[in-house]
Amino acid sequence: NPLLTMIIRTMITMLPRSRITALFGLLLVCLSQAVDGFVIGKQQFNVAQSSVSTSTSALASTSSASSSASRSSKASSKVAVTKETDPSTTTTGTSSIRFRNVMAANRGEIAVRVMRAATELNAVTTAIYAQEDHKSQHRWGADFSYLLEKDDGATPISAYLDINQIIRIASNANVDAIHPGYGFLSESPEFAQACADANIVFVGPTVDNLLRFSDKTSARQAAIDAGVPVVPGSDGALQSAQEVVDFVEQI
């Protein structure tokens, strides 16, 4: 650039030699620092890039190993299914029971929620479904699913109330715990007892509790025995229409 050249020549002519020398030295120092800074920055970038690559490789290896272990765990659980006690899960001084294969004895959204919780605990999930539910999410979301058979003309709901068939499927599938969800067989003492007889854990109240509280009369008597206030009522179950009339006239 002719203009820039003329300006530089004018400055050199007007400035004393000592100032020109000092200015030139200052420019050299600045240039040297700029070059050093560029080299150091490049080295740091290379180190950081190498560290990121190493971390990515390690993460990928860990993820792959975890996936393989999970698949292996789920596959082996079909061969030998047992209940184990893990002291590391102790929260109140007693060990928690960990289930390896959990059946959701229900349908639809209820079964989906049960199996989601079981999956988060790294358990195998087993579903049952009626033919009318063969496209339902709870069937396809489970690790294993089994069709419930029913008589011709029977309602779809009746299949989910077939205790013997459900227990048979659970035993053949190496299920070690059944969660009934709510509704259906969730308050059935017969179902809870059938689970116990098949050495399968019923995730819910005990058989004794179900027998006591599934009937309103026995539940009311249990409350009275425990000293819990109850609303006025008869001393026991009324057996005839006349007993009902007499009781109403009393109150």
Side-chain angles (χ1 to χ4, degrees):
N1 190 329
L3 180 59
L4 181 59
T5 303
M6 183 181 68
I7 293 174
I8 293 175
R9 285 180 179 178
T10 303
M11 291 178 61
I12 293 175
T13 302
M14 296 177 62
L15 291 175
R17 183 179 299 276
S18 60
R19 292 188 179 181
I20 294 176
T21 303
L23 181 61
F24 183 75
L26 180 61
L27 290 175
L28 288 179
V29 171
C30 293
L31 180 61
S32 176
Q33 290 181 348
V35 171
D36 291 343
F38 174 79
V39 173
I40 293 174
K42 185 176 181 180
Q43 291 176 348
Q44 293 177 345
F45 174 78
N46 291 336
V47 171
Q49 189 176 30
S50 175
S51 176
V52 170
S53 299
T54 303
S55 300
T56 302
S57 300
L59 181 61
S61 300
T62 303
S63 177
S64 177
S66 299
S67 299
S68 300
S70 177
R71 288 193 297 269
S72 176
S73 175
K74 285 195 172 186
S76 63
S77 64
K78 286 198 66 180
V79 179
V81 179
T82 58
K83 294 182 287 295
E84 62 178 2
T85 300
D86 185 3
S88 65
T89 61
T90 300
T91 56
T92 60
T94 57
S95 299
S96 300
I97 297 178
R98 177 178 296 173
F99 303 116
R100 294 187 178 179
N101 191 338
V102 178
M103 170 185 281
N106 216 297
R107 63 185 292 274
E109 172 263 346
I110 303 170
V112 169
R113 291 169 63 183
V114 171
M115 292 186 291
R116 181 184 300 162
T119 299
E120 291 178 356
L121 296 175
N122 199 32
V124 175
T125 56
T126 300
I128 53 177
Y129 66 97
Q131 178 59 36
E132 290 79 1
D133 287 333
H134 70 282
K135 293 184 178 181
S136 294
Q137 182 181 357
H138 80 276
R139 176 199 176 184
W140 298 107
D143 294 312
F144 303 96
S145 57
Y146 298 90
L147 175 65
L148 290 169
E149 299 178 354
K150 59 185 178 64
D151 297 333
D152 294 339
T155 63
I157 300 302
S158 64
Y160 294 97
L161 300 176
D162 190 338
I163 295 177
N164 293 332
Q165 183 176 190
I166 293 174
I167 294 297
R168 183 175 67 254
I169 291 174
S171 298
N172 293 338
N174 289 330
V175 168
D176 58 343
I178 295 180
H179 195 307
Y182 55 86
F184 287 153
L185 297 172
S186 61
E187 299 181 14
S188 169
E190 294 78 13
F191 184 50
Q193 185 62 57
C195 289
D197 294 341
N199 197 29
I200 298 173
V201 175
F202 177 79
V203 183
T206 64
V207 175
D208 180 64
N209 285 341
L210 288 171
L211 286 171
R212 182 181 296 269
F213 294 104
S214 61
D215 178 72
K216 290 182 174 60
T217 301
S218 60
R220 184 175 186 275
Q221 187 59 48
I224 295 174
D225 295 340
V228 178
V230 297
V231 297
S234 63
D235 294 332
L238 301 180
Q239 305 298 326
S240 66
Q242 186 59 46
E243 290 183 358
V244 174
V245 173
D246 294 340
F247 172 74
V248 172
E249 290 177 350
Q250 292 176 7
I251 61 174

